[in-house]
Amino acid sequence: DEQYELASPETAAVLKRTVEALMERGAIVRNLENLGERALPYKISKHNHRHRRGGYFLVDLEGPPSIVSTMMDHLGRDIDIIRRAFIKYPVSKTEECSGIVPVNCEDKLIPKKK
Amino acid sequence: MGARASCAQRVLGEADMAALAVAGGRRCCRWVPALMWERPCRLQHQQAAAESDLPIEMENPYEEPPKRCILCGINVDYKNVQLLSQFVSPYTGRIYGRHITGLCNKKQKEISKAIKRAHILGFMPVMFKNPSFLTDPKICNVKY
């Protein structure tokens, strides 16, 4: 996720820069989502400027793990990006949820000998 | 006294010998030690042949379905700030413990991790609850 300053043409320029940088390092960009623009939950000071509003974007990408450190470095130098992060793609496992399993207290009481 | 014990478990011990000695001359003995009392005893080979009075083995028909917590089956996401804010105190912004939320282990951990992630990424305020979510339905057992 990245958070940008206001003004649409600048925002578009930043996004374009970022996606190009990603593709340059060999990542495949699958999707780019705009999570909206709103007031930040708390004021963030970055690059000598106290930010109060920001736009949230989510980039869906596939790539080698070696990109992460280089990209974090690259995005850190971009003044228009307030906060950057790489998150593992969430795997939705909720279909197997079988409810609360009753704990067998007897087994827990007796220490297991390995 | 003739041999009484029919069960294989009975063994003539010293007490029995003493009893026999006491009742020596008399034919009808009143005092019989408990060991010599005749009790109905079914041998192993007789038990199987007897009518099966034993309970039929089956799954518990009255078994209740496994209890589910409120988030069972719901996917927890760090972007879903409204859901996460329901498990956070409105005054201090602290995450409620397991005894308050009533969630199962897995879901409590997931919510906790998602809230912390949302804090860091700038989705959710840290020290308080977002005022627009204050009127949300109460899930946790908190008494304000």
Side-chain angles (χ1 to χ4, degrees), chain B residues 84-127:
Chain B
L84 298 179
S85 296
Q86 283 184 304
F87 298 99
V88 150
S89 165
Y91 304 107
T92 51
R94 289 161 138 224
I95 308 174
Y96 286 136
R98 211 158 302 193
H99 56 291
I100 302 175
T101 59
L103 295 170
C104 57
N105 266 330
K106 229 188 343 173
K107 285 295 164 183
Q108 176 73 24
K109 195 78 187 180
E110 274 181 37
I111 285 268
S112 185
K113 285 267 176 189
I115 290 174
K116 289 185 187 167
R117 202 180 247 186
H119 285 164
I120 291 169
L121 297 177
F123 279 97
M124 199 162 112
V126 185
M127 297 300 287

Side-chain angles (χ1 to χ4, degrees), chain A:
Chain A
D1 293 295
E2 299 144 347
Q3 292 156 30
Y4 297 79
E5 284 251 87
L6 297 181
S8 310
E10 277 185 26
T11 323
V14 178
L15 281 168
K16 192 176 169 187
R17 258 188 274 147
T18 317
V19 172
E20 274 175 10
L22 280 165
M23 300 216 286
E24 207 186 321
R25 276 147 237 253
I28 304 164
V29 178
R30 259 194 272 167
N31 192 19
L32 171 61
E33 279 166 24
N34 182 359
L35 303 166
E37 196 189 280
R38 43 194 143 140
L40 299 177
Y42 43 88
K43 286 166 264 194
I44 303 175
S45 320
K46 195 83 188 194
H47 305 295
N48 299 319
H49 190 61
R50 213 145 176 248
H51 304 272
R52 282 152 151 253
R53 283 191 71 84
Y56 293 70
F57 295 89
L58 178 64
V59 185
D60 233 340
L61 68 122
E62 234 174 72
S66 48
I67 309 179
V68 177
S69 43
T70 47
M71 275 311 293
M72 291 292 268
D73 207 35
H74 181 268
L75 296 169
R77 273 183 246 116
D78 194 335
I79 343 164
D80 293 319
I81 298 177
I82 306 171
R83 200 156 277 187
R84 65 223 188 272
F86 276 83
I87 292 157
K88 225 160 68 160
Y89 200 80
V91 188
S92 48
K93 287 189 230 170
T94 37
E95 290 161 27
E96 297 165 16
C97 194
S98 56
I100 304 172
V101 180
V103 184
N104 194 348
C105 301
E106 270 182 50
D107 288 344
K108 279 201 169 183
L109 188 65
I110 303 161
K112 293 180 195 172
K113 287 186 184 176
K114 285 193 180 176

